Structures are given as structure tokens and as C-alpha cells.
Amino acid sequence: MAVKLQGFEFWKTTLRGARYVVAPMVDQSELAWRLLSRRHGAELCYTPMLHAQVFVRDANYRKDNLYSEVCPEDRPLITQFCANDPEVFVQACLLAQDYCDAIDLNLGCPQMIAKRGHYGVFLQDEWELLEKMVKLANEKISVPITCKIRVFNKMEETVQYAQMLEKAGCQLLTVHGRTKDQKGPATGIASWEHIKAVRNAVNIPVFANGNIQHLSDVEQCMEETGGNLHNPALFEGHSPPVWEMAEEYLEVVSQYPPCTLSYVRAHLFKLWHHTLQIHKDLREELAKVKNLQGLTEVSRQLRLRCQEEITNGGEEAGQVVGLPFPHWICQPYVRPVNGTEVKAGCHKRALSQEDSDGACDALSKNKQKKKARNPHKNFCPEQKPKYIKCEQCGNPKGNQCVFNLCRGCCKKKAHKEVADCPSHGLRFKTKAEKQKSERQEEDEEGKSRGLQEEEDGGLLNPSPPQTPNRPPTDPHRGQTVA
């Protein structure tokens, strides 16, 4: 087996000294987008985050998300997993190691699904578990193990966290300069100071993540520490017309099928974000179409409208208050902060302050709609019920499960023990008893049928009657012969 490179040697040789990196994005950093990004300056890409447990048990999941996307042009490549079990994580790594250049453990996802599944940034305080996961993977797999983390509020704690992962065997660290709570409307600004402190404290390469919207941000971040989705040409240092990137992306999608339609639609929504705020009829159309040809046609219609606007509008064409370029130019979308729009041209999230029941969290536009439909719905995380973990896998357990397990673990246990779990709709015992009863009834019917056939056979074939001894008769006279 080839010698496994470590630290800076791994970064310089295997990753070719990559500095411009397309981060892992759920349902967004698929093969087509990675290839498009590489054409325009990206030097390293990650797969979308994959669930280690599903990757181990589901062959179709492995094929759809990694095996079918093998492409010589798509290297170097790092596969990212979320996991909370050392053994399962290692099994997933072993299944993936031949299709990538490194395996990354996601310790930075702050979404609610990560909280419910107990992975991502919600393992941030379980240092013993993380140390075991990274150490075991580093020992067992043939490619380097890397980690992506978020920072703590305290810089010293962040530094100690990074040093612990390095000691466990992490060969490269990606530091997202935001805390666990900086997400959604409260995203805020990433702290490059925390990233710099980590870089100075460890002896492995550090990738900085956060606040990257233009090439100048990349260079400034590199200086201070030592959004690809809206502009794939970010690393080339220019902002092309949106239709150029959209058409090139759709060409790559057609060249490297299959690509999930929802991924393509999401990319077009982000590329055309500012234009769709103006041409809202095409926004609705983009959301409705059911195939790649339909998405391509909507993108073409957007291009024609923009070109018509350029022809008729002169120098002022496409200018929107708050945007540095005309709306048809690739440029970042900045999330609103503190209930106001950072850029007047961005209307994705209009926030309102909710103070019912003492709640002070701003609600997104989507949550405001849900609140309007159901005024009693609670959006305050502190007031929501806490999920009790499954005793076997750590996922949320069923509230009334007879085994105190999640549905997956409950199904296995109920099947093994031939038991029922009404809360999960499992009826193994009931079905077994029903089948047993049906077999008994069939056996009894068979016995009854056999007895009946024996009785009927006796009536249909009676034995011939006994003839009494009589003297022979004379057939001609009809008299008895003496």
C-alpha cells in the first residue's frame, strides 16, 4: 500500500497546493457544478455532505452520490461525511476511499436536521467522541482524514479544539469563522481573527471559510488569516453575465448525466437571483417546469429579456439600488441583517420582529407565512420539545415506541423478536399469530375434508350382498331340481 501523505506534504502533493476551494454544499456541489467551477479557477472541490450511516447500508445511495460521479477531470476531490459513530464512519470511509483523495468529517453543519440527527456542529462539545472518530479513521483508511469545524465564542477554546483534532490525526482543517448559532437570519459576519488564531496554533494546512464573495475577499482573507454559488467565475476575478454561466452549467449537466433536477433548478435560482426579483413571472415558471428542457427554456427567456433591456436602456440599463453591477451580472447575494436589507436590490428575506411570548428572534419570510396560517405555531427553539435519543443510534426516538428506539432500530428489533410496536405501525407479532391461526384452520379443514371423503367413499362403493345357498333351478321349466 502506498505511503499516506500527511499535513502540508499532502496539501502540496495530492491537493496540488490548492488555495481556491469550492466548499461542500448539500445538494449543490454535485459533479456538474464542480466541473464548472474547475473551469473557472477552482483548484479543489468537495462532494456534498453524505450521511455515513446511509452510505454504508444503501448501495443505491453510494452509486447516486459518489460512484456514478467518477470523472478524471474532477480531481483532486474530497468526500465529506457526517457521522456520530466511529465504527460506522470508518466503514463509510473504507467504501469511499478509492473514489477520492481524502475524507472530510463535517463538524460544522448548524441546521436543525443536524441537531435531530446528532451530527455536524452539534458534536462540538463531545471532544472524546470526536477524538476517537478521527483517530480510528486515520489508522484504518488509506487516504488522509480532514475536518471542517465552526468556531467557539472564545478564541482560546477554538484553538484548543483545533489542536485536539490535529493530535487525533486530522491532516487538514477547514475553519468556518462563525459560531454554532450564526445561521439563517442571524448569520452575521465570519471571524477571520479566529481563523488566524487557529492557523498560528496548528502545524497542518488551514482552509478559511466565510465572507468570500469576490476574489478580493479571497486575497484579503489570505492576508488577514494567512460565494461560488452566485458567481462560478469567482476565482478568476471577474463577474460575467449570468446567462454565460447558466448556459455553460446547463451544457455540463447535459454532458455528464444524470443530474438531479432539483439541483439544477436550485443553481439557476441562485445564478438568476437578482434578475428574478424583477421578472417574477419567470420566477414562477422556473419553479414549475418538470424537466431540463423546461429549465433551459426559462433561462433562455431570462437572457432575452436582459438583452432587450440592455438594447433599450442604454447606460442605465439593469441598475438596481444597492447592487454594484446591473442585475444580470454575476454578483453575491447578501443576507439581510437585523431586520433591514443590506442591499436594496435583495428582497429574499424581509424580516419582522416577533415578540409574542417574549420571543425576540426574527422570523424568515417562510416562517412568517407559516405563522400566518397557524398563529399558535411556536418557532422559539428554547420552547420546542427536546428530542430524546434512540438508545442504539442516537437519532430521535419514537415518543411512544415500546423499545425506546427510532423507527429504523425499532423495526430491526421488532422483526428479530417478532414483536409489535403500535407507535411505529409495526405488527410482526400480530401478523405471525394471524398466519399461525390461518395455518391451524387450514390443517383442521384438511382433516375434516379427509374424513368426509372417507365417509362418502364408503357410501358410493358398498360391498356386494351375501347370496344365500339355494338349490340350482332348471332354466327351462322354472322348477327346482331335486
Side-chain angles (χ1 to χ4, degrees):
M1 187 174 69
V3 177
K4 183 164 62 174
L5 301 180
Q6 299 181 346
F8 280 98
E9 188 180 4
F10 155 67
W11 173 67
K12 290 177 182 177
T13 305
T14 305
L15 302 186
R16 306 167 193 169
R19 297 192 305 162
Y20 300 153
V21 183
V22 176
M25 298 172 285
V26 175
D27 296 345
Q28 295 285 265
S29 55
E30 83 288 355
L31 175 63
W33 190 259
R34 297 197 300 264
L35 293 176
L36 177 68
S37 300
R38 290 179 191 276
R39 289 184 182 183
H40 294 280
E43 299 167 344
L44 169 66
C45 293
Y46 285 71
T47 67
M49 182 189 73
L50 306 178
H51 197 294
Q53 194 173 47
V54 181
F55 194 85
V56 169
R57 73 168 184 252
D58 191 336
N60 289 330
Y61 183 81
R62 294 195 293 271
K63 179 182 176 183
D64 294 343
N65 291 281
L66 185 61
Y67 294 176
S68 65
E69 294 194 344
V70 175
C71 179
E73 295 88 354
D74 189 34
R75 303 300 280 266
L77 177 69
I78 297 179
T79 298
Q80 186 185 73
F81 286 111
C82 66
N84 56 22
D85 182 288
E87 296 294 339
V88 173
F89 178 51
V90 170
Q91 289 179 45
C93 292
L94 292 171
L95 290 168
Q97 64 182 5
D98 294 335
Y99 300 86
C100 59
D101 299 291
I103 302 290
D104 186 73
L105 177 60
N106 185 336
L107 302 175
C109 181
Q111 303 304 322
M112 181 56 67
I113 190 172
K115 184 176 183 180
R116 291 174 179 169
H118 192 56
Y119 57 81
V121 76
F122 299 98
L123 297 176
Q124 194 175 44
D125 297 319
E126 300 183 35
W127 290 19
E128 186 176 343
L129 171 63
L130 297 181
E131 184 177 11
K132 183 178 179 181
M133 290 176 68
V134 174
K135 185 176 181 179
L136 189 63
N138 185 52
E139 293 173 354
K140 298 289 186 180
I141 68 175
S142 61
V143 296
I145 180 76
T146 70
C147 297
K148 181 179 180 181
I149 65 172
R150 284 195 170 220
V151 301
F152 290 89
N153 286 317
K154 295 180 180 179
M155 194 173 295
E156 299 79 8
E157 192 173 9
T158 303
V159 169
Q160 292 172 7
Y161 183 42
Q163 290 174 330
M164 178 273 293
L165 293 171
E166 179 189 14
K167 185 178 178 181
C170 177
Q171 303 303 323
L172 183 148
L173 203 57
T174 300
V175 183
H176 189 141
R178 294 184 173 93
T179 65
K180 178 170 62 176
D181 299 322
Q182 284 184 280
K183 59 183 178 180
T187 296
I189 304 300
S191 170
W192 289 350
E193 291 79 11
H194 280 69
I195 301 175
K196 180 179 180 180
V198 170
R199 192 204 68 177
N200 292 335
V202 298
N203 296 312
I204 55 176
V206 175
F207 287 160
N209 186 206
N211 299 352
I212 306 300
Q213 298 173 352
H214 304 279
L215 182 62
S216 58
D217 296 329
V218 178
E219 295 165 349
Q220 182 183 353
C221 180
M222 288 179 176
E223 291 175 3
E224 293 193 20
T225 69
N228 172 263
L229 287 177
H230 292 273
N231 182 12
L234 170 76
F235 297 128
E236 290 182 320
H238 76 281
S239 299
V242 171
W243 59 80
E244 290 184 7
M245 292 293 96
E247 289 171 0
E248 187 175 357
Y249 171 62
L250 291 168
E251 176 190 335
V252 177
V253 169
S254 300
Q255 188 177 353
Y256 294 92
C259 183
T260 305
L261 195 68
S262 61
Y263 298 178
V264 183
R265 193 195 313 274
H267 281 302
L268 293 179
F269 265 115
K270 287 182 171 62
L271 287 170
W272 286 108
H273 173 81
H274 299 297
T275 302
L276 290 171
Q277 309 309 307
I278 298 169
H279 301 286
K280 295 184 178 180
D281 59 322
L282 289 180
R283 179 185 181 88
E284 295 296 324
E285 189 66 23
L286 186 61
K288 291 178 182 177
V289 292
K290 303 295 184 183
N291 52 48
L292 185 60
Q293 291 74 22
L295 294 175
T296 303
E297 176 59 23
V298 174
S299 185
R300 189 184 74 85
Q301 291 293 332
L302 285 165
R303 172 175 62 82
L304 292 176
R305 290 194 186 184
C306 290
Q307 290 174 340
E308 183 180 357
E309 194 173 342
I310 292 171
T311 302
N312 299 333
E315 294 183 358
E316 299 296 323
Q319 295 294 335
V320 176
V321 176
L323 292 182
F325 307 113
H327 61 78
W328 57 73
I329 297 296
C330 288
Q331 55 196 302
Y333 160 69
V334 180
R335 192 187 298 272
V337 177
N338 296 329
T340 61
E341 296 285 349
V342 176
K343 293 188 176 182
C346 305
H347 304 288
K348 184 174 181 180
R349 289 182 181 268
L351 304 179
S352 68
Q353 198 75 12
E354 294 288 326
D355 51 16
S356 60
D357 298 327
C360 59
D361 292 334
L363 296 183
S364 67
K365 188 175 181 180
N366 189 37
K367 287 184 178 179
Q368 289 179 43
K369 290 180 181 178
K370 292 181 179 179
K371 189 78 173 176
R373 292 194 298 267
N374 183 5
H376 303 292
K377 189 172 180 66
N378 178 23
F379 292 100
C380 181
E382 290 77 13
Q383 296 178 6
K384 286 190 174 182
K386 303 298 181 183
Y387 291 94
I388 303 174
K389 297 177 186 177
C390 169
E391 294 179 355
Q392 292 187 6
C393 70
N395 288 325
K397 82 172 189 71
N399 289 332
Q400 298 179 2
C401 176
V402 296
F403 299 114
N404 289 320
L405 302 175
C406 67
R407 193 180 193 282
C409 296
C410 177
K411 186 175 181 180
K412 293 177 183 178
K413 189 175 180 68
H415 180 268
K416 184 178 180 181
E417 299 184 4
V418 192
D420 287 350
C421 180
S423 69
H424 282 131
L426 303 175
R427 300 282 189 275
F428 293 108
K429 182 179 178 181
T430 302
K431 289 180 180 178
E433 291 176 348
K434 184 178 180 182
Q435 291 172 356
K436 183 179 179 180
S437 176
E438 289 174 351
R439 284 196 299 269
Q440 289 176 347
E441 289 178 2
E442 289 176 359
D443 292 342
E444 290 176 0
E445 288 178 3
K447 291 178 181 178
S448 301
R449 196 179 302 114
L451 293 173
Q452 186 65 37
E453 288 176 352
E454 290 179 6
E455 292 176 1
D456 293 345
L459 293 173
L460 292 172
N461 301 298
S463 56
Q466 299 270 339
T467 304
N469 294 328
R470 293 179 182 177
T473 60
D474 184 348
H476 300 287
R477 298 177 61 183
Q479 296 177 356
T480 302
V481 179

